[in-house]
Amino acid sequence: MDGYACLNWYFEESVKLNNTIAMIYLGRLYQKGLNTKQDYGKTYEYYKSAADNNDSDGLYYLGNLYLKGLGVEKNPREAIKLFEKASKKNNPKAFIKLGIFYSRGIIVPRDYLLAKQYFELASLQNNPSSFFYLGDLLSNGEYFDVDLPKAIDNFQKCSEIENEVKIAYEAKDDFFLPEYR
């Protein structure tokens, strides 16, 4: 059994034990078609199982399936409900998604104040996207007074975190180079 088959077997067994991390992992594999055939039906099953276990990532990813109509009938209202449930579990990706929807009036009525609150909640978890969107709200003057020092500060935080993530990925790639095995 090769490494991927072994890993997939391990996650399949973990799903049987109600391990939501394994459910998300397998859902992502089937969604992206990584080392397996792309299968949105299986993607839906795994995300739904995680969501049924009240996992915030399961709720978020299931919401994305409803939003895009992948493996399930497209239903943006159901997607919003799932993103809201995930946000109540402090999921930063759900905060960002809801912030974008409210700032642009997508599916929901435009509400810049609520959008800003969602972005601020995500920023408490150092989510780089949150700092970008906060900077955008504070620099465009569409709803809030322009506050360039705060906008610039948010853009800088976004950049700093993105650089840290890039460095971590580069270190990970170096670890897997053949000379380190």
Side-chain angles (χ1 to χ4, degrees):
M1 184 182 299
D2 72 4
Y4 287 113
C6 184
L7 192 59
N8 287 348
W9 172 85
Y10 171 79
F11 280 110
E12 289 285 353
E13 292 301 309
S14 296
V15 165
K16 293 175 186 172
L17 299 172
N18 245 13
N19 182 320
T20 57
I21 294 170
M23 293 170 192
I24 299 298
Y25 171 83
L26 289 170
R28 299 287 289 162
L29 285 183
Y30 282 107
Q31 182 176 359
K32 302 286 184 188
L34 300 173
N35 300 308
T36 188
K37 184 176 182 249
Q38 190 175 43
D39 185 336
Y40 292 122
K42 285 189 176 187
T43 300
Y44 172 81
E45 289 174 24
Y46 286 117
Y47 290 166
K48 176 89 168 81
S49 293
D52 287 345
N53 281 286
N54 216 20
D55 180 88
S56 73
D57 282 331
L59 293 162
Y60 173 79
Y61 288 123
L62 185 61
N64 275 329
L65 294 182
Y66 277 102
L67 183 66
K68 298 172 184 174
L70 301 174
V72 65
E73 187 174 330
K74 189 174 184 175
N75 186 338
R77 297 274 175 222
E78 182 64 21
I80 293 290
K81 288 179 192 175
L82 290 163
F83 295 142
E84 286 173 345
K85 282 183 182 179
S87 76
K88 288 182 176 133
K89 298 191 72 53
N90 215 25
N91 186 298
K93 294 178 293 245
F95 291 145
I96 296 296
K97 188 80 77 172
L98 290 167
I100 291 169
F101 290 158
Y102 280 102
S103 70
R104 298 182 183 163
I106 300 171
I107 306 165
V108 295
R110 183 173 280 184
D111 185 334
Y112 289 109
L113 188 58
L114 188 54
K116 184 175 181 247
Q117 289 171 349
Y118 278 122
F119 294 141
E120 287 171 341
L121 287 168
S123 76
L124 295 174
Q125 297 180 46
N126 276 338
N127 181 291
S129 297
S130 66
F131 293 113
F132 174 81
Y133 288 113
L134 283 169
D136 185 51
L137 283 177
L138 295 170
S139 66
N140 69 25
E142 203 170 328
Y143 183 76
F144 300 101
D145 290 337
V146 172
D147 189 339
L148 287 180
K150 280 187 182 176
I152 290 169
D153 183 53
N154 277 291
F155 288 133
Q156 285 175 333
K157 286 178 184 174
C158 174
S159 178
E160 289 166 6
I161 294 169
E162 287 290 338
N163 284 336
E164 289 174 17
V165 170
K166 180 181 176 190
I167 290 166
Y169 274 113
E170 288 170 357
K172 174 193 69 80
D173 289 343
D174 288 345
F175 180 77
F176 289 104
L177 290 174
E179 61 266 22
Y180 292 107
R181 290 186 187 163

